[in-house]
Short mmCIF file of all heavy atoms in Angstrom, two decimals:
data_model
loop_
_atom_site.label_atom_id
_atom_site.label_comp_id
_atom_site.label_asym_id
_atom_site.label_seq_id
_atom_site.Cartn_x
_atom_site.Cartn_y
_atom_site.Cartn_z
N ARG V 11 -59.09 57.11 -24.83
CA ARG V 11 -58.03 56.11 -24.73
C ARG V 11 -56.87 56.46 -25.65
O ARG V 11 -55.71 56.24 -25.31
CB ARG V 11 -58.59 54.73 -25.07
CG ARG V 11 -57.60 53.60 -24.81
CD ARG V 11 -58.19 52.28 -25.14
NE ARG V 11 -58.46 52.24 -26.58
CZ ARG V 11 -59.14 51.28 -27.17
NH1 ARG V 11 -59.66 50.31 -26.48
NH2 ARG V 11 -59.34 51.30 -28.47
N ASP V 60 -47.39 56.93 -35.83
CA ASP V 60 -46.64 56.79 -34.57
C ASP V 60 -46.34 55.32 -34.29
O ASP V 60 -45.22 54.97 -33.91
CB ASP V 60 -47.43 57.39 -33.40
CG ASP V 60 -47.49 58.91 -33.46
OD1 ASP V 60 -46.66 59.51 -34.18
OD2 ASP V 60 -48.36 59.48 -32.79
N ARG V 69 -41.19 42.22 -42.03
CA ARG V 69 -40.56 42.39 -43.34
C ARG V 69 -41.32 41.68 -44.44
O ARG V 69 -41.24 42.05 -45.60
CB ARG V 69 -39.12 41.87 -43.30
CG ARG V 69 -38.18 42.87 -42.64
CD ARG V 69 -36.79 42.32 -42.60
NE ARG V 69 -36.61 41.84 -41.23
CZ ARG V 69 -35.76 40.91 -40.86
NH1 ARG V 69 -34.99 40.34 -41.72
NH2 ARG V 69 -35.68 40.56 -39.61
N ALA V 92 -52.79 38.38 -10.55
CA ALA V 92 -52.50 39.76 -10.94
C ALA V 92 -51.31 39.83 -11.90
O ALA V 92 -50.36 39.07 -11.78
CB ALA V 92 -52.18 40.60 -9.70
N LEU V 93 -51.40 40.76 -12.83
CA LEU V 93 -50.28 41.07 -13.71
C LEU V 93 -49.29 41.90 -12.90
O LEU V 93 -49.60 43.02 -12.48
CB LEU V 93 -50.76 41.87 -14.92
CG LEU V 93 -49.69 42.35 -15.88
CD1 LEU V 93 -49.07 41.18 -16.62
CD2 LEU V 93 -50.28 43.36 -16.85
N GLU V 108 -38.74 37.70 -26.66
CA GLU V 108 -39.26 37.51 -25.30
C GLU V 108 -38.13 37.46 -24.28
O GLU V 108 -38.29 37.92 -23.15
CB GLU V 108 -40.09 36.22 -25.22
CG GLU V 108 -41.44 36.35 -25.86
CD GLU V 108 -42.30 35.12 -25.64
OE1 GLU V 108 -42.14 34.43 -24.61
OE2 GLU V 108 -43.14 34.85 -26.50
N GLY V 132 -36.42 28.37 -21.48
CA GLY V 132 -35.51 27.39 -20.89
C GLY V 132 -34.10 27.51 -21.42
O GLY V 132 -33.53 26.53 -21.89
#
Side-chain angles (χ1 to χ4, degrees):
R11 187 179 65 190
D60 290 342
R69 281 179 259 156
L93 176 69
E108 285 186 30

